[in-house]
Amino acid sequence: MITLSWHAFEINNVLTSLNSSTEGLTEEEAHKRLSQYGPNRLRPSKKRSSWSIFLSQFKNLLVYVLLVSAIITLITGHLVDAGVILGVIILNAVIGFIQEGKAEKALDSIREMLTSQANIQRSGKRIMISSENLVPGDIVFLQSGDKVPADLRLINVKNLRIDESSLTGESLNAEKSMLPCNEKAAIGDRNCMAYSGTLITYGQGRGIVVATGDSTEIGKINALLVLAPPMTTRLLLKMSEFTKTLTVVIGILSVTTLVFGVLIRGYSISDMFFAAVSLAVAAIPEGLPAILTITLAIGVQRMAKRNVIIRRLPSVETLGAVTVICSDKTGTLTKNEMTAKTVSTSMNDFEISGVGYETHGTFMTDGSEFSCYLLNKEKFSCDKYPDLIELARGSVLCNDTSLIKVDDKKSVQGDPTEGALIVLGIKAGLDYKSEQSKFPRLDIIPFESEHRFMATLHGRQDSKRIIYLKGAPEQVLELCSYQRSSGNNIAINKNYWKNLINRIAGKGQRTLAIAVKEVTEAHSQLKFEDVQEGMCILGLVGIIDPPSGEATSAIQKCQTAGIRVKMITGDHVLTARAVGFEMGIGDGITALSGHDLNNLKDDEIQRLVKEVDVYARVSPEHKMRLVRAIQANGDVVAMTGDGVNDAPALKQADIGIAMGRKGTEVAKEAAEMILTDDNFASIEHAVEEGRTVYDNIKKAIMFILPTNAAEAGIIIVAIALGRMLPITPVQILWVNMITAVTLALSIAFEPPEEGVMKRAPRDPKESILSPFLIWRIGFVSLILIIGTCGLFFLQRDSGVSIEISRTVAVNTLVAFEAFYLLNTRYIQDSAFTKEGIFGNGYVVAAIGLIILMQALFTYFPPMQSLFGTASLDFMKWFQIIVVASSVFFIVELEKYVLRKHFKFF
């Protein structure tokens, strides 16, 4: 189907271009077009089977390293140990499968947005058909409550309003007309179009189908979702790089050791093969994948308690690396509840406090604040502002909306803008139900886009009649001859009101004008000629979707943490600019629109995103371009959203964040993270948890790798000196899979370090093995090698049996780990405090468990037979504790020196 700018066409041109008429197509023609264009449904993508999703969990070099470890362990004849390693591999795959199994549902959800039935006209007759059978040229009838079944060019409207927020991101219902629009108009400005999947909230209409299936605007979003590649988290990329390096190093060390032992030391090939296998088993961190998975899972559980659901496990860590958050405005940064913030009369300008549909608020004018609530049963505190009271009365009487309570929270039944006017009236001290009783409605001119106002005729207790009118300010001014001043009508000053309109619009507020006219009791009907002249303007009301207070605070915290927040919305530029500035996003002056982005090349956008933080009137394609441009600058991008229009960008971002309450299913399925409370503040909590998770992963690596490096170093030292191996392969597996994993697991429960949200985001290019981490691994490994080998050689040189000597060596290594675990609780701060030693109950419990397990390892006969150990006396344990405790004091001294003289952090 050829895509044309149907919104720019006159109705007759649309009918001619589609070879149709207002009577609709014939059944024969419709059948031909169905064959030509296909069914009105979105083409499904090729879906992965559950089996392929499960197998994909094994496509990771870290898993390959584990498989190599299992094979080597099998070669040594230790089937139980090999089974433990394989169990770790399968556990990782199952967890990944559960977390990622729903990733393909976004396209299914978006396809379900198409309505199932359509009320159409064919051959001059109205019939109901399946929406799948709609074709270009069909005439479709629309009414309140319907979901638009295809993209339509409207040819007839009556008070038609459509909720397009899921498509455009704009909070206000779109008022529709039949007049063509500018060809370059954004989707939100195409008032003569109705788009597939949007909801009719008011009125009726008729339109001609101009696009179906994949050619609709929702179809284009569906295509963008297909094109957006699944993002691989930086943690997985870094772990992949790390395991590649580790595999190469282990291979080189093993081969070098084998060759050295055979050629230089004269060992037999069989003995050196056994030693090389021991070295490989020692160097491979079998427990690391399990620790990573568990650390991430604990982060997920913590986030769930703070209203954040994580759909993909590795995304937890990505949050900690976020440098830019791109946020939608409506319902994410704002309350999605229209609020009257400004009232201007001919005498005064009033600023109104309070947000949303809560009815508590005050007025401020000329620096003084006052309340209009009842002081007693007879008197209002704002009686000295009669023009304000009259405007508020007109706002509640010329109104078809009412306030309701839903779950102890006020909401509106009807149009959100009219709801804001009801709340304004209540804040002005009026009981709107009582006012409607005192001034009963006699007749109405409903709002229509052609005349852009609504008018109502009311009775009064003095038998006179009164007309109230509200609408677009420019239109209302044309009907007014007077303006109200201190209760009197005087000649209107239109320049004054035009300047006022511009000033209020400059704040990003939508402006409504309220007017009044008294008529005689003979008026029982309201006609257009009754309002064409002689109206008196009471004032202007500025309405806005107010920022969320919690979101504003969260933005400040994110900025303190070095995270830049950008607003990307489908709303108007003036509104986006004003709301952004109020929340601390942008400078209140600079903003780019979708039209601006259309005229920019990708490299120009990449440069501008470094400077501009507010983007308005953007389409889904624009959001994708913006996210890609920010990523091209090396930033880690989080994208928040709740509408269908947000889904492609949510999928493109490093981490997509969807709203759980107001978000569409499409947005939720495209995202990695869902906020159950729709609160931007929860993102700040999630970032804190993400940074903590990454810190804990670093601590786990910083703990596990020195142990593996020390085990490998112990074997290398023994071979280099021509001595017996201090630790056997099965003893190495015991240390790695039992003690190291048990101790390292306790680090996953570490709480956030102080100031975690006051430091800048880490460099996305930073390797998981930073210079400091490499130093610490080497430094601690050396301590462990010297201490373990030293005690082992001391036992052997004293004539102690090989079984007792190796038991001493294993227990020394495990004791080293227990003391070093206390060091790793804080990466740079001192652990030589009561909090540092006893502050994490899991660490204390893990050390206690290890003491028990090592006692069994040393004294339990079946364990002695399995691992080749022997019982130790008190003096041996005293030597072990003295030597092993040295690592705690040496590392704390190293931390002190680094804090004072070096900047490794």
Side-chain angles (χ1 to χ4, degrees):
M1 185 185 300
I2 299 175
T3 302
L4 298 175
S5 301
W6 297 108
H7 54 278
F9 282 36
E10 294 284 352
I11 293 174
N12 289 335
N13 292 339
V14 175
L15 292 169
T16 301
S17 298
L18 292 171
N19 195 20
S20 183
S21 72
T22 55
E23 296 297 309
L25 303 173
T26 64
E27 287 292 345
E28 183 181 2
E29 178 62 23
H31 183 73
K32 289 180 181 177
R33 296 191 184 192
L34 188 62
S35 300
Q36 178 183 355
Y37 297 113
N40 178 35
R41 59 170 179 254
L42 302 183
R43 185 169 41 219
S45 61
K46 185 177 180 181
K47 297 185 66 174
R48 295 189 302 165
S49 65
S50 297
W51 183 246
S52 65
I53 293 174
F54 180 73
L55 290 179
S56 69
Q57 307 304 316
F58 296 90
K59 296 178 181 178
N60 184 298
L61 189 57
L62 201 58
V63 173
Y64 300 155
V65 171
L66 281 178
L67 286 171
V68 171
S69 175
I71 292 170
I72 293 173
T73 310
L74 280 171
I75 292 173
T76 64
H78 300 286
L79 301 179
V80 174
D81 302 308
V84 170
I85 298 173
L86 289 172
V88 170
I89 296 173
I90 294 171
L91 175 64
N92 285 335
V94 170
I95 292 175
F97 173 77
I98 292 172
Q99 289 291 332
E100 299 182 32
K102 296 182 179 180
E104 301 299 319
K105 287 189 177 178
L107 300 180
D108 292 337
S109 296
I110 199 168
R111 282 189 283 273
E112 291 172 2
M113 290 196 66
L114 294 179
T115 185
S116 59
Q117 296 288 315
N119 187 351
I120 71 167
Q121 183 164 306
R122 281 188 181 165
S123 301
K125 296 180 181 179
R126 288 183 65 162
I127 58 173
M128 291 289 292
I129 67 167
S130 168
S131 64
E132 287 194 0
N133 295 324
L134 281 176
V135 295
D138 266 329
I139 302 298
V140 178
F141 293 90
L142 303 171
Q143 62 183 9
S144 181
D146 286 349
K147 192 178 285 185
V148 180
D151 285 2
L152 310 176
R153 170 61 165 93
L154 297 171
I155 61 175
N156 183 266
V157 297
K158 186 172 180 60
N159 306 326
L160 185 63
R161 301 178 196 175
I162 302 181
D163 179 2
E164 296 180 337
S165 59
S166 65
L167 185 65
T168 66
E170 185 164 357
S171 52
L172 294 172
N173 290 337
E175 298 170 355
K176 295 300 180 178
S177 73
M178 298 178 292
L179 300 175
C181 310
N182 187 294
E183 185 175 354
K184 295 183 179 180
I187 292 176
D189 293 325
R190 298 173 188 173
N191 296 327
C192 61
M193 297 291 294
Y195 288 106
S196 179
T198 58
L199 183 66
I200 309 297
T201 59
Y202 194 82
Q204 298 175 336
R206 210 165 33 127
I208 181 170
V209 176
V210 295
T212 59
D214 291 333
S215 297
T216 62
E217 290 298 325
I218 280 189
K220 294 173 185 176
I221 294 174
N222 181 66
L224 288 174
L225 277 173
V226 173
L227 292 174
M231 299 300 294
T232 301
T233 68
R234 293 173 189 260
L235 175 64
L236 294 181
L237 291 173
K238 289 176 183 177
M239 289 307 300
S240 178
E241 294 172 2
F242 166 70
T243 49
K244 286 177 183 176
T245 304
L246 185 65
T247 303
V248 172
V249 170
I250 291 172
I252 292 174
L253 279 176
S254 298
V255 172
T256 303
T257 301
L258 189 150
V259 172
F260 176 85
V262 173
L263 299 182
I264 305 300
R265 287 298 182 187
Y267 288 109
S268 67
I269 292 179
S270 60
D271 287 343
M272 285 316 302
F273 177 77
F274 181 78
V277 167
S278 300
L279 176 60
V281 171
I284 294 174
E286 293 91 346
L288 186 56
I291 293 300
L292 289 178
T293 300
I294 293 169
T295 303
L296 293 171
I298 291 170
V300 168
Q301 292 176 350
R302 283 178 173 174
M303 289 182 184
K305 294 177 181 178
R306 304 183 81 169
N307 302 311
V308 176
I309 297 173
I310 299 295
R311 297 184 65 247
R312 293 185 65 233
L313 210 57
S315 300
V316 178
E317 176 275 335
T318 306
L319 277 167
V322 165
T323 58
V324 176
I325 298 176
C326 297
S327 178
D328 187 31
K329 179 183 73 69
T330 305
T332 306
L333 298 176
T334 63
K335 294 176 69 68
N336 202 17
E337 297 177 355
M338 305 309 294
T339 305
K341 296 296 291 182
T342 302
V343 169
S344 294
T345 67
S346 65
M347 301 289 291
N348 302 93
D349 292 326
F350 301 92
E351 294 296 325
I352 310 167
S353 68
V355 295
Y357 302 128
E358 291 302 320
T359 53
H360 297 287
T362 60
F363 294 81
M364 178 172 286
T365 183
D366 296 328
S368 62
E369 187 175 13
F370 62 92
S371 169
C372 289
Y373 293 112
L374 284 169
L375 294 178
N376 52 55
K377 292 184 178 180
E378 300 175 356
K379 186 178 178 182
F380 294 93
S381 64
C382 56
D383 275 352
K384 64 179 181 178
Y385 300 107
D387 297 348
L388 172 63
I389 297 299
E390 186 66 15
L391 179 144
R393 179 170 288 115
S395 298
V396 300
L397 292 177
C398 189
N399 200 305
D400 286 328
T401 295
S402 59
L403 280 184
I404 58 173
K405 266 194 173 184
V406 179
D407 298 329
D408 294 327
K409 184 179 179 181
K410 290 187 178 68
S411 183
V412 296
Q413 193 169 39
D415 185 80
T417 301
E418 290 192 337
L421 296 178
I422 291 286
V423 173
L424 168 63
I426 296 173
K427 289 178 179 178
L430 302 179
D431 181 334
Y432 76 96
K433 292 183 179 179
S434 175
E435 291 295 318
Q436 290 169 353
S437 177
K438 287 191 294 185
F439 298 89
R441 182 184 294 183
L442 304 176
D443 202 3
I444 181 175
I445 297 177
F447 179 92
E448 289 192 15
S449 53
E450 285 75 14
H451 53 251
R452 302 174 67 201
F453 67 78
M454 170 185 177
T456 52
L457 174 66
H458 300 267
R460 292 200 317 196
Q461 293 176 346
D462 59 5
S463 298
K464 289 188 178 181
R465 306 290 167 84
I466 189 168
I467 299 171
Y468 285 108
L469 180 145
K470 77 168 188 290
E474 299 84 357
Q475 183 67 23
V476 174
L477 279 179
E478 293 300 316
L479 306 177
C480 290
S481 305
Y482 308 99
Q483 63 189 43
R484 184 64 58 88
S485 178
S486 300
N488 299 312
N489 291 355
I490 63 174
I492 190 168
N493 180 351
K494 292 192 176 182
N495 287 333
Y496 166 80
W497 293 105
K498 288 177 181 177
N499 291 333
L500 203 54
I501 291 168
N502 292 333
R503 193 167 78 225
I504 296 175
K507 299 178 183 179
Q509 298 175 9
R510 183 190 181 195
T511 311
L512 282 177
I514 310 294
V516 67
K517 180 181 179 180
E518 291 186 5
V519 293
T520 67
E521 59 270 24
H523 267 80
S524 58
Q525 292 183 328
L526 189 57
K527 302 176 182 178
F528 274 98
E529 51 263 33
D530 294 329
V531 298
Q532 291 301 308
E533 59 181 4
M535 297 296 298
C536 174
I537 186 168
L538 295 172
L540 303 176
V541 181
I543 298 174
I544 198 169
D545 183 8
S548 163
E550 287 183 297
T552 301
S553 175
I555 288 169
Q556 293 173 350
K557 290 180 181 178
C558 287
Q559 291 169 340
T560 300
I563 300 170
R564 194 165 181 176
V565 181
K566 296 180 182 291
M567 178 191 291
I568 303 178
T569 178
D571 220 332
H572 291 280
V573 175
L574 285 176
T575 303
R577 202 160 54 192
V579 172
F581 183 67
E582 186 175 348
M583 303 189 76
I585 304 174
D587 56 9
I589 299 172
T590 308
L592 288 177
S593 68
H595 178 70
D596 298 327
L597 296 173
N598 286 335
N599 297 323
L600 294 172
K601 296 179 180 179
D602 287 346
D603 58 340
E604 293 174 317
I605 295 177
Q606 185 178 339
R607 176 179 56 81
L608 284 172
V609 292
K610 297 179 181 179
E611 306 165 5
V612 181
D613 289 335
V614 177
Y615 303 86
R617 272 296 188 247
V618 294
S619 67
E621 293 88 346
H622 295 143
K623 292 185 179 184
M624 290 271 285
R625 289 184 72 192
L626 287 168
V627 171
R628 286 171 178 163
I630 298 169
Q631 290 172 327
N633 288 326
D635 285 299
V636 180
V637 182
M639 174 75 193
T640 75
D642 53 11
V644 180
N645 60 321
D646 297 317
L650 289 174
K651 191 176 178 184
Q652 174 65 41
D654 294 278
I655 182 161
I657 306 172
M659 303 298 113
R661 290 181 181 174
K662 298 176 183 176
T664 61
E665 287 302 312
V666 180
K668 294 175 190 176
E669 293 298 340
E672 286 81 24
M673 169 177 152
I674 300 171
L675 304 183
T676 60
D677 59 353
D678 285 13
N679 192 338
F680 187 89
S682 296
I683 298 175
E684 184 262 331
H685 301 322
V687 170
E688 180 182 7
E689 289 293 348
R691 290 186 174 191
T692 301
V693 165
Y694 188 75
D695 281 351
N696 291 347
I697 288 173
K698 282 175 61 177
K699 292 173 185 177
I701 292 173
M702 192 166 63
F703 173 76
I704 290 175
L705 291 191
T707 303
N708 291 102
E711 291 167 353
I714 289 167
I715 294 171
I716 292 172
V717 168
I719 293 173
L721 297 178
R723 307 290 293 262
M724 295 184 69
L725 296 182
I727 306 177
T728 64
V730 69
Q731 290 170 344
I732 289 170
L733 277 173
W734 166 265
V735 174
N736 287 355
M737 291 302 297
I738 304 299
T739 60
V741 171
T742 304
L743 292 172
L745 178 59
S746 65
I747 297 177
F749 295 92
E750 280 293 320
E753 289 194 22
E754 187 176 351
V756 70
M757 285 301 288
K758 293 181 180 178
R759 66 191 188 210
R762 69 178 185 272
D763 185 351
K765 298 178 182 178
E766 174 189 286
S767 170
I768 201 164
L769 283 180
S770 63
F772 163 71
L773 215 56
I774 294 172
W775 154 258
R776 174 65 65 81
I777 291 168
F779 178 66
V780 174
S781 299
L782 186 60
I783 297 173
L784 269 59
I785 291 170
I786 292 173
T788 303
C789 287
L791 265 185
F792 174 78
F793 295 152
L794 178 64
Q795 306 304 314
R796 293 297 292 152
D797 293 344
S798 300
V800 176
S801 69
I802 186 63
E803 289 81 11
I804 292 178
S805 298
R806 282 176 170 163
T807 305
V808 168
V810 171
N811 279 295
T812 301
L813 187 58
V814 172
F816 266 129
E817 291 176 3
F819 281 106
Y820 178 55
L821 179 66
L822 299 175
N823 297 119
T824 56
R825 286 202 59 218
Y826 302 123
I827 296 175
Q828 55 179 314
D829 293 334
S830 173
F832 200 30
T833 62
K834 181 180 179 180
E835 175 66 24
I837 296 174
F838 300 105
N840 185 343
Y842 291 98
V843 168
V844 176
I847 292 175
L849 180 61
I850 289 303
I851 291 173
L852 176 62
M853 294 174 72
Q854 285 307 116
L856 292 172
F857 175 83
T858 304
Y859 297 109
F860 189 47
M863 299 285 275
Q864 290 177 334
S865 300
L866 180 63
F867 291 102
T869 59
S871 301
L872 302 180
D873 57 27
F874 174 79
M875 184 54 63
K876 294 287 190 297
W877 282 113
F878 178 77
Q879 292 174 338
I880 290 170
I881 297 302
V882 169
V883 172
S885 63
S886 65
V887 70
F888 177 77
F889 300 103
I890 294 172
V891 171
E892 287 305 308
L893 178 62
E894 174 241 18
K895 284 188 193 179
Y896 174 80
V897 173
L898 292 180
R899 285 197 304 269
K900 290 291 184 181
H901 303 289
F902 298 94
K903 296 292 181 183
F904 280 90
F905 311 107

